[in-house]
Amino acid sequence: MAEDLAGKIAAELKVRMERNKVPIPIGVSNRHCHLTKEHFKILFGASAEPKRIKDIKQPGFWAAAETIEVKGPRGSIKKVRLVAPYRDHTQIELAWTDAHILGVNPPVRESGQVKGSAGALLIGPAGQVELKEGVIVAQRHVHFAPKEAAAIGVKGGELLRLRCGTGGGRSTIFEDCIARVSDKYSLELHLDTDEAYAAGVKTGDLAYIV
Amino acid sequence: MAEDLAGKIAAELKVRMERNKVPIPIGVSNRHCHLTKEHFKILFGASAEPKRIKDIKQPGFWAAAETIEVKGPRGSIKKVRLVAPYRDHTQIELAWTDAHILGVNPPVRESGQVKGSAGALLIGPAGQVELKEGVIVAQRHVHFAPKEAAAIGVKGGELLRLRCGTGGGRSTIFEDCIARVSDKYSLELHLDTDEAYAAGVKTGDLAYIV
């Protein structure tokens, strides 16, 4: 009985130690939007197309030249960057600091789960969209390519704890980091600006599973 | 030897379990300023005095009616609340989100340790102060009355780890929470707005030493 328990603890510690060895680069997401083609055309004009200005680390995604204004009952934020390509649902990802400025109360959600989330008015140079739902605070998450996940036994949907910011007076363990595994992904912990500032970290700093 | 180790581990676990039982209320600090009498008079006029509008939880401190504008090289923030009474050194406490708006780079510091910190321009209705140092990001800290600290064996200056936000999708363990013990204090974990949003907590929510 005691030996069974000792064996289990030893196995668990071994997994933890293996996982803890892998440095995971942090990517800090500023507020941004994903738009449907329909909404893009309303906001920027029927003949407009998103202009690529910078690839982002996750393969296939890129920052566009286009930005919109997002307006809520209390205030508004200009220059919210479009991340392309088009999506099936328009989604505005804010930090709660941003949500407080707008006066909206978005839920913490995984990307794509916009049902029943908050609304806002979207304003572009060619028109406006009254968005009923789509405003979320992104659940923090770790992108893994399948090989990277398999190497340390991580499964998609698993909740991980990651430590970062050590040595800067704001060492933080972020729990509830959801693992997302796809061959379109590359190893990265995504935090929003509130989370990054709370831990005193920036894009390219390293986090460790604990 | 093994028994010594077992004894040490058991003692350590006992302390942890005792500490973990105490719910610690969270107080979220919005950006604010503390002013010397001299700076107050420059900003608000020689005959002005701070007007008390609300006591805050820590005994002897209160929010004043007066606010100032704080300006940096990139931007400015209006309505930064004065927390009275007067101090020996003017101190501006910002979240890093605020610092980013201003374009300043304040260090993480304990309150009062302003030497070599960031500067900013302070603007009041009666005048301006070019502050050379005094802008900080507050190190997160736990206030204890001496009895409260003694009950769980916490010493002033000790670095604690506190978990909060459990159940909201943003459970977070804040490390580097410095214990501050004084008979002028009452039990409270002080977080800034970045930290509170990162964990999805608000004033009055509870944290636990882990």
Side-chain angles (χ1 to χ4, degrees), chain B residues 106-124:
Chain B
V108 175
R109 290 284 179 85
E110 275 193 85
S111 186
Q113 301 190 352
V114 296
K115 192 87 185 165
S117 59
L121 178 66
L122 313 185
I123 305 170

Side-chain angles (χ1 to χ4, degrees), chain B residues 116-137:
Chain B
S117 59
L121 178 66
L122 313 185
I123 305 170
Q128 301 191 348
V129 171
E130 179 71 57
L131 191 71
K132 295 292 175 206
E133 60 186 21
V135 181
I136 65 168
V137 170

Side-chain angles (χ1 to χ4, degrees), chain A residues 56-116:
Chain A
I56 61 181
K57 189 170 176 188
Q58 296 310 313
F61 295 93
W62 41 277
E66 289 78 10
T67 63
I68 62 172
E69 179 179 353
V70 179
K71 198 174 174 184
R74 185 186 294 138
S76 121
I77 297 177
K78 292 182 205 286
K79 296 195 183 172
V80 176
R81 176 77 50 194
L82 170 64
V83 173
Y86 294 130
R87 290 259 181 126
D88 289 339
H89 298 280
T90 287
Q91 177 173 299
I92 316 293
E93 295 183 43
L94 302 179
W96 260 322
T97 294
D98 304 322
H100 180 77
I101 292 167
L102 301 188
V104 298
N105 190 22
V108 175
R109 290 283 179 84
E110 276 192 85
S111 185
Q113 301 189 354
V114 297
K115 192 89 186 162

Side-chain angles (χ1 to χ4, degrees), chain A residues 140 163 170-171 175-176, chain B residues 140 163 171 175-176 192:
Chain A
R140 46 201 180 218
R163 175 184 272 131
R170 293 201 145 192
S171 180
E175 304 188 302
D176 294 329
Chain B
R140 48 201 177 220
R163 175 184 272 131
S171 180
E175 305 188 301
D176 293 330
D192 70 16

Side-chain angles (χ1 to χ4, degrees), chain B residues 145-164:
Chain B
K147 250 190 202 175
E148 293 161 344
I152 51 171
V154 165
K155 289 183 179 59
E158 193 176 339
L159 291 179
L160 303 171
R161 297 155 34 104
L162 279 89
R163 175 184 272 131
C164 56

Side-chain angles (χ1 to χ4, degrees), chain A residues 96-97 100 108 137-140 161 163 165 167-176 192-195 197-200, chain B residues 96-97 100 108 137-140 161 163 165 167-176 192-195 197-200:
Chain A
W96 260 322
T97 294
H100 180 77
V108 175
V137 170
Q139 180 166 6
R140 46 201 180 218
R161 301 154 30 104
R163 175 184 272 131
R170 293 201 145 192
S171 180
T172 303
I173 298 173
F174 289 117
E175 304 188 302
D176 294 329
D192 70 16
T193 46
D194 288 339
E195 293 166 330
Y197 287 136
Chain B
W96 260 322
T97 294
H100 181 77
V108 175
V137 170
Q139 180 167 6
R140 48 201 177 220
R161 297 155 34 104
R163 175 184 272 131
R170 293 200 146 193
S171 180
T172 303
I173 298 173
F174 289 117
E175 305 188 301
D176 293 330
D192 70 16
T193 45
D194 288 338
E195 293 166 330
Y197 287 134

